[in-house]
Amino acid sequence: MIETRKPHLPAALLAILLFVAPAAARAQDAHATAASNPTTETSPTTESTGTSAAPSVQQTDQAADQAAEPSPAATAGDEPLPVIALPADPPPAVASTSSDAPQPIAEVIVTATKRAEPVRNIPATIAVLKGADLEREGVQDIDQIVTRVPGVNLTDDGQGQAKRVTIRGISADVNANFTTGTLLGDIPFSDPFVPKVQLDPNPFDMATVEVLKGPQGTLFGGSGLNGLIRYVPEAPQFDGFHAKYYTQYSAYPGNGGDGWSYGAMVNAPFADDTAAVRLMGFHRQAPGFIDNSFTGERDVNSLTQYGLRGIVAWKPSEDWKISLLGTTQKTTQDDVAFADNRDGKLQRGNTPRPSPSESIYSLGNIAVEGSLPWADLVSQTSVFKKQFDVFIDSSRIALGGHVPLLSAVDHSQSHGFSQELRLLSAPSDSPWKWLVGAFYFDTRLKDCAEAGAAEDLPGLPVPSVLEGLLANPCPGNANKLQGSLDIAQLLGDVDVREEALFGELTRALGDDWDVTVGARGYRTKSGGTVSTAGLLYSAQNAGFPAHHDADVSENGLSPKASVVFHPTRDFRTYFTVSRGFRFGGPQLGASTPTTNVPAVYKSDSLWNYELGLRSDWLDRSLRLDASAYFIDWKNPQVAQISNDSLVTFIDNVGGVKGRGVDLSLRYAPPFLRGLSLETMVAFNRTETTASFDSASGQTIPPGSRWPLSPHWQTSTTLAYAFPVDDWLLGASLRHTYISKACNTIECTAQVFGYRTLDLNLFVNGPDGSFWPQLSLSLNNLTDERGYSNITISPTLGESVNYIAPRAIVLRLGGNF
């Protein structure tokens, strides 16, 4: 019997809450020091890092808007209120809570185009989430980030593998390559071949998280078929010693466990303030909420995570800077996070053993930035290493899941190197602006997936004829399968390379028009060896192991063009055409006489046509943005299953078309200072354009819905912040909705189709004081049981992944 849990709050945090809240409530006078320019939300000046921006981050050539926009001398770490970000930022403190004067909405400076410029001047749709806002709400991972941006969703198989992010309906199967890439600054991270580990850093001490919608092939290559998520860390500061900290308590009252997280950052200049170091570390204990009714264990999907990041920056002169970055993160999940029902019960009873997983990544970068008389130079040199291990209890296919008979394991390793060198035109009064660069990327992947009889079975006599079939596991799996009967073993050893030249050229035509053209010429090669062994594969190959070598070499051009019309500083419209692509490669699946698996799969590509509007009204207190797009996706990569159900492979099939609209409205009413309203709506319709036969043998007709592409997503946030004496108090309420979508191309189940309501309350101490900042978040207030994923397997049955239930998050932080 699973016991009913009662919510509890640690006494330490309760004492803090009882101490800090009355102190703020006793304040009587208006905030006297926050009446500075309400047009921008300021933060300490931050130098650009080699991972986020070029040296031109200190300047911008948006001359027409200089009088009205914030100085782009700040990097992404200094950004004011986000334009498209959710939730809405608390407005800056002001001298009075009531005024008839409009509240101009702040502008945002980003480096998503490899140069610093206001986000609204970029002819694309970019959502910008401030790290400080994510911290205040206790956000810890990518699951919580994507919910803040309509038109973006996430699916997770619950087994610890890399999560799949869908942007504008362009999704990827669990066993296929990403359609959405990830970057740390400008450093590409996503594996272009069978990704198992994902960049998912804790937002603590992160300047911004930027979501770039649409293809990013011109500037970022195969990493962004239809979008990117870009994490921009805070840079070292040269102006003095800084430190900050946080501790956070999270719990699922009545539905799961609880856990603590904490972190700290130290920034210290040295060498007569010509150099600075910034160190950050955190530890997270995420509570679980799935129970195993067969074993009686509760909250089995709890997670432990830690991360470290260090950046050292040195400025030998005003024109040059060298930055060193190193980061590592380890995530351990105790068990898979799925249930065995669609009844809203957060439990399962068909897994007699846990299925733990572990992922680790490390990344290093050297950046050199310099200002030449005629251009700015940026060099980025990066190395990375990733590892993923999982043990999967496959007992669900044996005796109703009550006997620990079968298991599967996967050990994956990859390491790689990237180098980018680019030149950017120096800021000037010239109507021309340009960027050129060269890029090289090389990654090596080894993946070993195996299945066998569980090693904890009682000793059984093994006939001599079968002794050769005892598992000879890969090194990473030796402690999991040693001595087990080797049912199947699949080993892939693959190398993936990209070489590219890219550039963009912008010409101002008078005062009202800008025209940009760009292109990326690339050459890719993916090749390696796939080997098979074990009882099942040997039976298909006359009793012998098998291997095959294959490679795919491709080259292409990813162009981009845009026209921008900006007759006034409050009105801007654009039309952009851009192309994205995704790597092809050898199959990480066995081709045997009975499987008929093709040896390779080809790259796929898509074209995006986008028309956008950016407008400000009522003295910039009302902001209305809109984007309409059409996507043409050729030869999409789709995960298929061989006709004998033994092998999963990737195939290029059919075609897909997508069309949709993104709308965003933000209003800061003049009748009540500190109040803001933001509403975002995303509509999308993504469908197949050609028929093809699916893995199940079903013929999918043209006009079928593409999986994981809901028609509607909305998010509405009402926020209010007001000063009381030297304190700032605030609250925000956010409502989100995502409509239903198909889980697979066969549409075996409907996923999504739920609403959530989140509340955040916070109290900030006086600026520059040692008083802590306290926030309380209540997430999924209505305790909605939404489906984030449903997987139906002919052998393993049905797995249901629920969104997190009602949660309480109490966070205490401070800085000095």
Side-chain angles (χ1 to χ4, degrees):
M1 177 70 69
I2 304 298
E3 297 180 4
T4 302
R5 287 172 295 277
K6 297 181 180 180
H8 65 280
L9 191 66
L13 280 184
L14 182 59
I16 293 172
L17 178 63
L18 293 175
F19 173 76
V20 173
R26 288 193 297 269
Q28 300 294 322
D29 300 325
H31 199 305
T33 61
S36 58
N37 183 9
T39 308
T40 60
E41 185 178 46
T42 60
S43 60
T45 301
T46 305
E47 298 290 338
S48 64
T49 70
T51 63
S52 61
S56 59
V57 78
Q58 301 297 324
Q59 301 166 323
T60 184
D61 47 3
Q62 303 295 332
D65 294 329
Q66 283 180 351
E69 292 168 351
S71 169
T75 68
D78 300 310
E79 292 172 352
L81 300 178
V83 174
I84 307 178
L86 287 178
D89 294 334
V94 291
S96 172
T97 59
S98 178
S99 173
D100 293 332
Q103 305 177 62
I105 298 174
E107 190 54 276
V108 181
I109 308 298
V110 298
T111 54
T113 56
K114 304 199 181 218
R115 67 167 73 239
E117 55 187 322
V119 68
R120 291 167 64 75
N121 290 5
I122 299 173
T125 302
I126 302 175
V128 183
L129 301 160
K130 290 186 64 179
D133 298 330
L134 297 175
E135 288 184 27
R136 188 189 70 245
E137 294 195 20
V139 173
Q140 297 284 290
D141 54 31
I142 195 170
D143 302 63
Q144 299 166 296
I145 288 173
V146 299
T147 62
R148 286 154 169 76
V149 186
V152 182
N153 60 68
L154 178 145
T155 187
D156 179 14
D157 65 358
Q159 296 182 1
Q161 297 190 56
K163 301 170 183 178
R164 310 284 161 146
V165 176
T166 297
I167 294 180
R168 290 179 169 175
I170 304 300
S171 62
D173 288 322
V174 170
N175 293 302
N177 301 323
F178 289 149
T179 58
T180 300
T182 51
L183 302 169
L184 184 64
D186 286 341
I187 306 168
F189 186 87
S190 300
D191 278 335
F193 184 81
V194 194
K196 300 292 178 68
V197 179
Q198 184 179 48
L199 180 69
D200 186 11
N202 192 294
F204 178 62
D205 204 42
M206 197 67 64
T208 59
V209 179
E210 301 166 5
V211 181
L212 287 65
K213 297 183 179 181
Q216 305 297 322
T218 302
L219 292 181
F220 297 103
S223 296
L225 174 70
N226 193 50
L228 289 169
I229 297 181
R230 182 170 179 262
Y231 297 87
V232 183
E234 291 281 10
Q237 299 178 14
F238 298 85
D239 61 346
F241 178 86
H242 304 282
K244 67 178 180 178
Y245 65 91
Y246 82 91
T247 182
Q248 179 170 307
Y249 171 75
S250 304
Y252 298 113
N255 290 310
D258 57 4
W260 286 85
S261 302
Y262 48 86
M265 181 281 299
V266 174
N267 180 98
F270 61 96
D272 296 326
D273 293 341
T274 63
V277 59
R278 193 178 189 97
L279 303 175
M280 183 281 296
F282 76 93
H283 183 276
R284 175 190 176 199
Q285 184 66 48
F289 54 84
I290 297 293
D291 296 330
N292 189 327
S293 60
F294 180 79
T295 64
E297 296 180 3
R298 301 192 302 249
D299 315 324
V300 297
N301 61 313
S302 59
L303 179 148
T304 302
Q305 187 178 73
Y306 74 81
L308 300 169
R309 184 172 65 246
I311 307 175
V312 179
W314 175 46
K315 294 185 65 175
S317 70
E318 289 297 320
D319 295 329
W320 290 90
K321 184 170 73 170
I322 301 173
S323 300
L324 305 178
L325 177 146
T327 184
T328 185
Q329 185 164 297
K330 179 179 179 180
T331 303
T332 302
Q333 184 171 297
D334 295 337
D335 201 351
V336 289
F338 68 83
D340 61 1
N341 65 88
R342 302 191 199 182
D343 303 325
K345 299 176 182 178
L346 302 178
Q347 63 181 35
R348 65 173 181 271
N350 57 2
T351 54
R353 294 172 300 171
S355 298
S357 64
E358 180 180 272
S359 65
I360 306 171
Y361 68 77
S362 300
L363 176 68
N365 174 262
I366 301 175
V368 179
E369 308 173 60
S371 294
L372 305 174
W374 51 279
D376 292 333
L377 170 71
V378 178
S379 172
Q380 300 266 11
T381 307
S382 304
V383 293
F384 60 86
K385 184 177 181 180
K386 310 170 193 177
Q387 179 173 313
F388 173 74
D389 288 280
V390 64
F391 175 91
I392 302 174
D393 178 21
S394 303
S395 303
R396 285 176 285 164
I397 67 175
L399 303 179
H402 294 161
V403 177
L405 182 61
L406 300 175
S407 59
V409 296
D410 189 3
H411 174 74
S412 175
Q413 286 185 322
S414 66
H415 60 88
F417 166 84
S418 70
Q419 172 65 54
E420 180 174 295
L421 183 67
R422 65 181 184 266
L423 289 167
L424 303 89
S425 57
S428 69
D429 295 331
S430 171
W432 296 95
K433 184 171 63 175
W434 53 267
L435 177 154
V436 295
F439 177 78
Y440 176 80
F441 175 85
D442 187 359
T443 184
R444 179 80 175 272
L445 170 84
K446 290 186 177 182
D447 188 277
C448 183
E450 303 177 80
E455 61 176 324
D456 57 357
L457 283 177
L460 296 176
V462 179
S464 58
V465 70
L466 295 179
E467 289 181 355
L469 296 178
L470 290 178
N472 182 20
C474 302
N477 297 332
N479 63 336
K480 305 183 185 75
L481 285 183
Q482 190 67 49
S484 300
L485 183 66
D486 190 357
I487 297 175
Q489 182 185 85
L490 184 63
L491 174 64
D493 188 349
V494 178
D495 185 78
V496 182
R497 297 181 185 178
E498 179 187 357
E499 301 166 341
L501 297 174
F502 61 91
E504 281 191 354
L505 179 66
T506 299
R507 177 66 159 90
L509 303 177
D511 296 331
D512 300 338
W513 295 87
D514 294 320
V515 177
T516 298
V517 293
R520 185 185 191 94
Y522 61 89
R523 179 173 60 192
T524 66
K525 183 176 182 179
S526 305
T529 301
V530 175
S531 304
T532 62
L535 180 63
L536 294 178
Y537 291 132
S538 296
Q540 296 175 329
N541 291 278
F544 296 98
H547 76 275
H548 70 270
D549 298 319
D551 64 76
V552 176
S553 296
E554 298 178 284
N555 56 72
L557 186 71
S558 287
K560 174 184 176 181
S562 63
V563 178
V564 180
F565 177 55
H566 48 92
T568 71
R569 61 191 289 263
D570 293 332
F571 180 87
R572 179 178 296 264
T573 187
Y574 67 85
F575 179 72
T576 294
V577 179
S578 55
R579 179 183 184 268
F581 75 96
R582 183 168 47 164
F583 289 85
Q587 296 288 355
L588 193 58
S591 181
T592 70
T594 60
T595 59
N596 297 318
V597 172
V600 300
Y601 61 93
K602 297 180 181 179
S603 64
D604 55 351
S605 62
L606 60 77
W607 283 90
N608 179 73
Y609 306 86
E610 183 169 335
L611 178 65
L613 168 71
R614 307 286 181 260
S615 63
D616 290 289
W617 308 81
L618 305 178
D619 293 328
R620 292 198 166 190
S621 64
L622 174 65
R623 176 161 289 173
L624 177 63
D625 296 339
S627 301
Y629 58 87
F630 174 77
I631 297 172
D632 187 9
W633 190 6
K634 299 294 185 182
N635 300 316
Q637 297 173 8
V638 179
Q640 301 279 277
I641 300 176
S642 62
N643 50 17
D644 58 6
S645 300
L646 293 179
V647 177
T648 300
F649 64 98
I650 299 175
D651 202 0
N652 298 88
V653 295
V656 172
K657 292 189 184 299
R659 59 192 65 86
V661 177
D662 290 327
L663 299 174
S664 173
L665 182 147
R666 181 181 175 94
Y667 181 47
F671 54 80
L672 184 59
R673 288 281 184 170
L675 182 67
S676 68
L677 172 68
E678 184 169 44
T679 297
M680 295 178 61
V681 179
F683 170 78
N684 173 271
R685 184 180 293 275
T686 304
E687 300 171 339
T688 61
T689 60
S691 63
F692 66 92
D693 295 330
S694 71
S696 62
Q698 178 182 349
T699 298
I700 307 301
S704 299
R705 291 184 63 177
W706 193 250
L708 306 176
S709 57
H711 286 332
W712 293 96
Q713 287 182 256
T714 67
S715 180
T716 300
T717 303
L718 182 66
Y720 183 50
F722 59 96
V724 179
D725 196 24
D726 290 333
W727 296 74
L728 183 67
L729 283 67
S732 65
L733 184 66
R734 180 177 60 252
H735 175 273
T736 63
Y737 168 71
I738 180 170
S739 63
K740 292 182 179 180
C742 291
N743 63 334
T744 64
I745 192 64
E746 297 94 342
C747 204
T748 57
Q750 294 277 331
V751 295
F752 307 145
Y754 59 84
R755 296 172 173 81
T756 60
L757 196 64
D758 303 324
L759 175 67
N760 176 254
L761 308 171
F762 70 91
V763 178
N764 288 352
D767 291 340
S769 72
F770 289 94
W771 283 95
Q773 301 172 353
L774 186 67
S775 67
L776 173 65
S777 297
L778 302 174
N779 300 326
N780 193 3
L781 279 170
T782 58
D783 203 21
E784 186 85 2
R785 289 290 184 271
Y787 304 133
S788 63
N789 193 29
I790 297 177
T791 303
I792 300 176
S793 168
T795 54
L796 297 180
E798 183 171 286
S799 302
V800 179
N801 298 100
Y802 286 103
I803 64 172
R806 181 188 295 117
I808 179 173
V809 179
L810 187 58
R811 186 180 181 102
L812 175 71
N815 58 80
F816 51 89

